[in-house]
Amino acid sequence: MQALKQTDPEIYELIRQEERYELDTVRLIPSENYVSKAVLEASGSVLTNKYSEGYPARRYYEGQRYIDQLENLVIERAKNLFGAEHANVQPYSGSPANLAVYFALLKPGDKIMGMGLPHGGHLSHGWNISITGQFWKAVQYPVDRESRRLDYDAIREMARRERPRMIVAGATAYPRQIDFSIFGAIAREVGAFLLADIAHIAGLIIAGVHPDPVPHADVITTTAHKTLRGPRGAMILCRKEVADRIDRAVFPGLQGGPHNQTTAAIGVALKEASTPAFKEYGRQIVRNAAAMADELMRRGFDLVSGGTDNHLILIDLTNKNVPGKKAAKALERAGIVCNYNTVPYDTRKPFNPSGIRLGTPAVTSRGMGEEQMRQVAAWMDQVIRHVDDEAAIARVGEEVRAMCRDFTAPGILQGD
Ligand SMILES: *Cc1c(COP(=O)(O)O)cnc(C)c1O
């Protein structure tokens, strides 16, 4: 980054510091990852110079000879990898992708039925402070109070009662598999569209370690930057029958020109995700989460739903008498980065809730395995037991940094 260093030493220095931080910490935010150097190069290319409103061969600007080939290539890769009939690779991010789907298929005031935010759903699934909960009428299904898992009988009953136009299946803080086939059957029964939002689990689906929504959903949205390990961006996959409506909703309905450098980087990530190595990566994400969950439970932690079968762990810290925010901040001081999170039926406020949320996609990208996951769980236990003891936290921090030195990170050249 010599030109950047010359032109803008302040920004250069901040990027370098962030790079060092990403290398020296155990990053457990389940929506984060490390992209490859190839993805970074595509993201930082001259494609950022181009305007190309419209779609391949249907543009409003001349000069698209290479951009059209690029977007067509990425669309084909997306369709092939997921087995979808149609793909739109232009959404700027996951939330605008969901907004485009509602805009495409619903009228203002139609009813959306999504998973409640405090139960693991996403803001863009109709939560009241989101535009999606204000322009459309939203009803929200919870997880079961006892099992803290989706209760499909209760969801079916709610759908029969509420008659939504759109059902959203997908989550941002749910540690279990989602049964898209049951959601599909419920949606057909009540005459609703089914949107499967696989932002968190796209990489697991490709790896074959999570059930596939493609046979069951009318539309699928995903971010590119979570388990899929691509740039910040999103895709919409759908059936042919709704393809035109989806495309028109993205452009010109909601967005202007696509971010071509992102499109290219998504293409690179899709190519990487089509390899056997990526399938093994997905399997290891799940094995790592299982090992970490097992070690945490052995140490008396209360895991929401009693464990995990995906990449994500939600801990209810009530029995440890440490609020989630205090725990997350202490862990960060020890170099273990996670986020505080509400747990289902939380009695505390969202800005200072009872839980923390962990995930293994980023650490797995560094080649860490079950042994390291058990070690990290042991460190987390120490920090939370000594949450007011800065010396103890600093000692854990030393060990965390020492371990991180043994693992390179994709996209970050050590000593570069
Ligand atoms: C992350 C996420 C999104 C939103 O993605 P952004 O790119 O942050 O807008 C949407 N849905 C789910 C389920 C997510 O986890």
Side-chain angles (χ1 to χ4, degrees):
M1 297 196 296
Q2 289 313 304
L4 179 60
K5 191 176 183 179
Q6 280 278 313
T7 303
D8 193 334
E10 278 173 289
I11 297 284
Y12 170 82
E13 199 45 51
L14 287 169
I15 294 174
R16 278 298 192 221
Q17 283 172 1
E18 171 64 21
E19 193 173 45
R20 176 50 54 192
Y21 182 73
E22 291 185 14
L23 205 53
D24 284 348
T25 49
V26 170
R27 299 172 59 232
L28 298 179
I29 310 262
S31 44
E32 290 188 351
N33 216 324
Y34 295 91
V35 301
S36 69
K37 199 77 183 166
V39 167
L40 288 176
E41 285 176 359
S43 307
S45 65
V46 294
L47 296 174
T48 204
N49 296 338
K50 292 294 293 181
Y51 241 107
S52 34
E53 284 185 353
Y55 291 100
R58 290 176 287 149
R59 303 282 188 191
Y60 292 83
Y61 293 74
E62 294 311 310
Q64 308 299 330
R65 62 182 72 186
Y66 303 114
I67 300 298
D68 277 7
Q69 291 179 55
L70 171 78
E71 189 169 334
N72 277 330
L73 178 62
V74 179
I75 288 169
E76 284 311 308
R77 285 183 185 172
K79 283 161 60 177
N80 286 336
L81 191 60
F82 288 94
E85 291 177 6
H86 181 76
N88 185 308
V89 297
Q90 294 193 3
Y92 297 146
S93 213
S95 303
N98 286 342
L99 193 53
V101 173
Y102 306 144
F103 186 52
L105 303 179
L106 304 179
K107 288 196 270 306
D110 278 355
K111 196 179 277 181
I112 298 171
M113 183 174 137
M115 190 174 187
L117 182 76
H119 294 262
H122 191 261
L123 282 163
S124 61
H125 298 177
W127 192 239
N128 53 16
I129 55 171
S130 154
I131 185 171
T132 62
Q134 300 198 6
F135 278 47
W136 292 280
K137 192 168 163 17
V139 289
Q140 309 260 277
Y141 55 86
V143 292
D144 178 67
R145 190 178 276 276
E146 282 307 308
S147 67
R148 296 189 279 183
R149 297 186 189 214
L150 291 170
D151 176 345
Y152 295 99
D153 292 334
I155 292 168
R156 177 178 283 112
E157 220 169 276
M158 186 179 199
R160 284 175 178 163
R161 194 172 62 241
E162 296 285 350
R163 294 274 150 188
R165 236 356 235 146
M166 170 88 67
I167 295 176
V168 187
T172 197
Y174 185 64
R176 297 295 175 175
Q177 291 185 351
I178 295 170
D179 191 329
F180 294 113
S181 72
I182 301 185
F183 269 110
I186 295 171
R188 279 192 301 280
E189 185 191 323
V190 303
F193 291 110
L194 177 62
L195 166 60
D197 178 350
I198 60 169
H200 263 260
I201 54 174
L204 304 183
I205 290 165
I206 286 165
V209 290
H210 190 288
D212 181 3
V214 172
H216 312 291
D218 300 288
V219 187
I220 294 160
T221 53
T222 183
T223 56
H225 48 270
K226 296 179 184 177
T227 48
L228 202 52
R229 219 159 53 176
R232 305 203 79 84
M235 291 179 278
I236 304 175
L237 310 161
C238 65
R239 298 193 201 286
K240 274 210 196 71
E241 301 85 77
V242 293
D244 283 346
R245 279 195 274 172
I246 292 290
D247 283 352
R248 270 185 278 118
V250 174
F251 175 87
L254 188 64
Q255 300 188 167
H259 294 179
N260 296 308
Q261 75 284 8
T262 298
T263 305
I266 289 175
V268 175
L270 291 169
K271 179 166 182 166
E272 291 174 348
S274 66
T275 60
F278 189 87
K279 287 205 167 60
E280 177 50 27
Y281 166 62
R283 287 193 288 267
Q284 190 61 42
I285 289 176
V286 172
R287 285 196 291 265
N288 278 351
M292 184 180 284
D294 182 64
E295 188 64 33
L296 287 166
M297 288 190 291
R298 241 177 37 79
R299 292 167 179 275
F301 284 93
D302 176 13
L303 269 49
V304 169
S305 82
T308 178
D309 41 36
N310 57 20
H311 64 302
L312 183 148
I313 294 167
L314 195 55
I315 308 180
D316 184 343
L317 289 166
T318 306
N319 69 347
K320 299 282 182 183
N321 280 318
V322 181
K325 193 177 199 170
K326 185 170 180 174
K329 287 187 177 300
L331 287 165
E332 195 277 340
R333 291 199 294 283
I336 297 170
V337 186
C338 67
N339 65 279
Y340 58 87
N341 214 99
T342 53
V343 297
Y345 305 100
D346 209 324
T347 51
R348 301 177 62 91
K349 295 267 180 297
F351 201 61
N352 191 3
S354 301
I356 53 175
R357 187 182 70 145
L358 318 169
T360 53
V363 290
T364 306
S365 288
R366 295 185 72 165
M368 294 180 188
E370 287 107 306
E371 186 191 332
Q372 285 74 38
M373 297 305 105
R374 289 185 184 277
Q375 178 62 69
V376 171
W379 285 329
M380 293 180 64
D381 187 21
Q382 280 178 44
V383 169
I384 287 165
R385 272 191 290 124
H386 302 106
V387 73
D388 292 313
D389 180 347
E390 284 309 316
I393 293 172
R395 278 196 298 277
V396 172
E398 282 306 310
E399 294 181 52
V400 168
R401 261 190 303 284
M403 182 187 79
C404 286
R405 266 180 232 124
D406 292 339
F407 292 88
T408 55
I412 301 179
L413 294 181
Q414 305 233 33
D416 175 26

